[in-house]
Each structure stands twice: as structure tokens, then as C-alpha cells.
Amino acid sequence: MSIPRRTILALAAAASPLAAALAQGTMPKLERKANYRVGFAQTESNNPWRIAQTESMRSEAQKRGDQFVYTDAAASAAKQVSDVNSMIAQKVDLIFLAPREERPLVPAVMAAKRAGIPVILLDRRVDAGQAQAGRDYVTFIGSDFVDQGRRAAEWLDKAVSGKARIIELQGTTGSSPANDRRKGFVDYIAKRSDMKVIASQSGDFVRDKGRQVAEALLQAHPDATAIYAHNDEMAIGAIAALEARGRKPGQDVIIASIDGTRSALQAIIDGKMGATVESNPRFGPKAFETLDRYARGETIDQWVVVPDRFFDRENAQQFLADAY
Ligand code: AHR
């Protein structure tokens, strides 16, 4: 009696994770070509970081003469899934995806894989329990968000001599930077008995939402002495909220943040913000170099780490002109 291939694969998939991976098929290859048609599925364009990232990707594609198929998910994970599906329908050669949230974008990654189109994740991850680098997508190129949170906490620790009542402004709920920046920060301050997060809420990485959330949390916690924002835009919003309450940012309330935008560097120079850990948005050169390496059949690490600098009052002026 012959057993159908589909049944064998289903049985193998049920038997072990490795067999399951094999049953799901192998990673799509990328043919070597002089020029490619690449997709870039962006999450949103409502902050300087996203704009700088898109600009870096677009200008690198232009430099190489590659065709750039760009979509903006306008802060909707559902739209981003359909953006990727549309790129699949257009048969692009490869998709660069900045997944807005960890879980909702897994089906998009898997759909591209099934369609034979390689995916490179940029700056944010998808749920590692459901999709993995080297098996379902080529690699993840991005910063170490946990370390960014740790570095912000370490700076704050020194700035407040180990004593602070902290308001945390979280990034987009369910996104890898929000999850990891929280973890890095909270794990560090767990070692400091006098540093406490007294309130924590999402401002969705958006300046005005950051301002509104900071306003509400400062109202409820007038004794806060520090603010940790998961990105600079929300930190700038928090500065406005503090000033509206007649409190002096940088003096009454110490602010640490992440990104390294021009506005943040200026706020540091003005004494309103203490420090920002860089999260480098200029992905273009590294992203396309990785595409080339993949097309040449080279082995790509599961995580291509983007190194980040650190800005405080010692060097903010020096890097201001080059900031985005
Ligand atoms: O994923 C990186 C984060 O996304 C940046 O810190 C933030 O500004 C952006 O929206």
C-alpha cells in the first residue's frame, strides 16, 4: 500500500520540530541578477526615525539601480500583512519587512516563504516561536533593543545616584522594541532598590500620544522624578507635558530615551533631556549588502547586529548636524 506524500509530511510534522521545519519547505533562494525588484514594507511614517529608515533604503536602492516597491502600513499591522501580500502578487525578488508587531506579521512572513520570495526582517522581529531566521526568513538586521534599555537604565542610575521614581512611556504594544527595551531597563533597575517604575503605559512611539500619556501619568504621580521613554518622539512629548505643568524637564524630572533624533540631541543641548541611546535607522547599505551576500549563497548569521552609539551632553553638539 502506498502512503500519500501529504500524509507522510503531516506525520513527520507531528513527530518533531525538526521534521515540522522540513515539512514546511526550505528557504527560498535568490537568483543572482544585476538588478532586483525589492519590496520594502514600512510600518508607518509618522516619526523622524521611520522617515530616515525609508530614505536610507530608497537611496541605496536608487544608487544600485534596483526597483523599489514601497508600502506604508500607516500604523496598522493588518494593512502591513496585506501590503506584503500585494508584494507577493507583484512577484518582487525579495521583501524587506519592518514588522510592526511581533505576532500579527508572522502569516505575512510565511506567505512570502510559501510563494518562494525571501524575506529579510529589518529593525523589528517577529515571534521567534512561530517563525525563525534561517528557516522561515533570511535574517534579522537590527539593534540590540534589550541592551538599549539596559544602557538607558545604566545612564539614569548614575544621573540620579540610584534613586528615582520613574514613569515609563512604552512603545507600540506587541512590538519587539517595546518588549525588549522594557526588559533591558527593568532587569537593570531590579538591582537598585531605590529605583522604581511607578507607572508605565504605551504612547505607541508617537510624540503626541507620548505627551498625552505623560500628562495623565504626571497628574496621577506628581512625585515622579524621572521619565524613561522607549523613543525620542515620546520623550519630546513628555518634555511638553512637564512644561505644561510648570515642571522643569532635565532638572525636576530627568529624562532618558532611545533613538538619537535631531530633536533629542537639541533637547540634550538645551538641558531638557539627559541622554538618548542611539537606535540607528540607516539600514540601506547593510540591507542591500545582505541581499547580495544571500544571492551569492553565503551563510548569513541569524542576526545581523546594528551597532548603536550613545548621546549625552558630552557629545550631542558634535553629532547634531549629522542627526536625522
Ligand atoms: O523599531 C524601532 C523604533 O520604531 C524606533 O525607536 C521608533 O522611533 C520607531 O518607530
Side-chain angles (χ1 to χ4, degrees), residues 23-99:
Q24 283 167 20
T26 53
M27 278 283 301
K29 297 264 180 290
L30 180 63
E31 189 192 325
R32 282 177 81 166
K33 293 185 188 174
N35 293 106
Y36 294 95
R37 197 150 74 96
V38 300
F40 175 42
Q42 178 59 285
T43 59
E44 57 236 327
S45 301
N46 58 358
N47 79 41
W49 195 99
R50 292 283 145 205
I51 292 166
Q53 186 190 37
T54 300
E55 170 51 28
S56 174
M57 292 295 290
R58 192 189 297 281
S59 72
E60 193 64 24
Q62 260 165 15
K63 224 185 278 174
R64 298 160 47 100
D66 287 351
Q67 212 179 312
F68 192 61
V69 178
Y70 172 74
T71 54
D72 174 352
S76 157
K79 174 167 184 324
Q80 198 172 29
V81 172
S82 77
D83 289 344
V84 171
N85 285 332
S86 138
M87 288 175 185
I88 294 170
Q90 292 174 62
K91 296 188 171 31
V92 296
D93 294 310
L94 177 140
I95 296 171
F96 290 113
L97 168 64

Side-chain angles (χ1 to χ4, degrees), residues 44 47 49-50 123-124 145 177 181 205 230-231 259 279:
E44 57 236 327
N47 79 41
W49 195 99
R50 292 283 145 205
D123 100 72
R124 294 187 185 179
F145 292 140
R181 287 171 183 172
F205 284 129
H230 286 193
N231 82 344
D259 268 358
S279 193

Side-chain angles (χ1 to χ4, degrees), residues 42-44 46-50 53 98-100 122-125 143 145 148 171-172 175-178 181 204-206 230-234 258-261 277 279-281 283 324:
Q42 178 59 285
T43 59
E44 57 236 327
N46 58 358
N47 79 41
W49 195 99
R50 292 283 145 205
Q53 186 190 37
R100 181 171 155 80
L122 294 188
D123 100 72
R124 294 187 185 179
R125 293 178 185 273
S143 296
F145 292 140
Q148 291 176 346
T172 299
S175 71
S176 59
R181 287 171 183 172
D204 204 16
F205 284 129
V206 175
H230 286 193
N231 82 344
D232 287 343
E233 282 295 280
M234 295 189 296
I258 295 168
D259 268 358
T261 64
V277 183
S279 193
N280 186 349
F283 279 74
Y324 55 94

Side-chain angles (χ1 to χ4, degrees), residues 249-306:
Q251 293 179 32
D252 301 338
V253 177
I254 307 298
I255 303 176
S257 168
I258 295 168
D259 268 358
T261 64
R262 189 184 294 253
S263 308
L265 265 53
Q266 188 59 56
I268 292 172
I269 293 164
D270 296 341
K272 296 182 177 185
M273 195 190 289
T276 181
V277 183
E278 182 185 40
S279 193
N280 186 349
R282 292 173 173 133
F283 279 74
K286 185 62 80 187
F288 283 89
E289 177 198 311
T290 306
L291 173 154
D292 285 336
R293 290 184 51 220
Y294 189 63
R296 288 198 297 268
E298 291 179 27
T299 305
I300 314 289
D301 286 344
Q302 293 189 358
W303 179 6
V304 178
V305 182
V306 173

Side-chain angles (χ1 to χ4, degrees), residues 116-251:
I117 298 175
V119 170
I120 292 179
L121 295 188
L122 294 188
D123 100 72
R124 294 187 185 179
R125 293 178 185 273
V126 291
D127 185 347
Q130 298 182 53
Q132 281 174 21
R135 187 189 80 186
D136 303 313
Y137 57 91
V138 178
T139 185
F140 164 66
I141 304 177
S143 296
D144 185 337
F145 292 140
V146 175
D147 197 51
Q148 291 176 346
R150 185 198 60 75
R151 292 169 79 191
E154 190 178 46
W155 177 86
L156 190 61
D157 182 15
K158 288 199 187 107
V160 300
S161 306
K163 195 170 163 51
R165 295 173 60 77
I166 306 159
I167 285 176
E168 180 187 28
L169 300 176
Q170 294 188 32
T172 299
T173 305
S175 71
S176 59
N179 293 339
D180 293 352
R181 287 171 183 172
R182 175 167 173 73
K183 177 174 170 34
F185 188 87
V186 166
D187 285 355
Y188 180 96
I189 68 161
K191 296 178 276 180
R192 297 286 178 269
S193 55
D194 283 338
M195 288 179 80
K196 294 263 178 280
V197 174
I198 54 171
S200 181
Q201 201 175 308
S202 174
D204 204 16
F205 284 129
V206 175
R207 184 183 293 207
D208 201 50
K209 282 192 198 160
R211 181 186 61 75
Q212 289 169 29
V213 171
E215 253 169 32
L217 296 183
L218 285 164
Q219 167 95 25
H221 302 275
D223 55 344
T225 58
I227 292 179
Y228 165 48
H230 286 193
N231 82 344
D232 287 343
E233 282 295 280
M234 295 189 296
I236 300 292
I239 289 174
L242 282 164
E243 287 176 334
R245 291 184 67 79
R247 301 193 71 189
K248 289 201 179 72
Q251 293 179 32

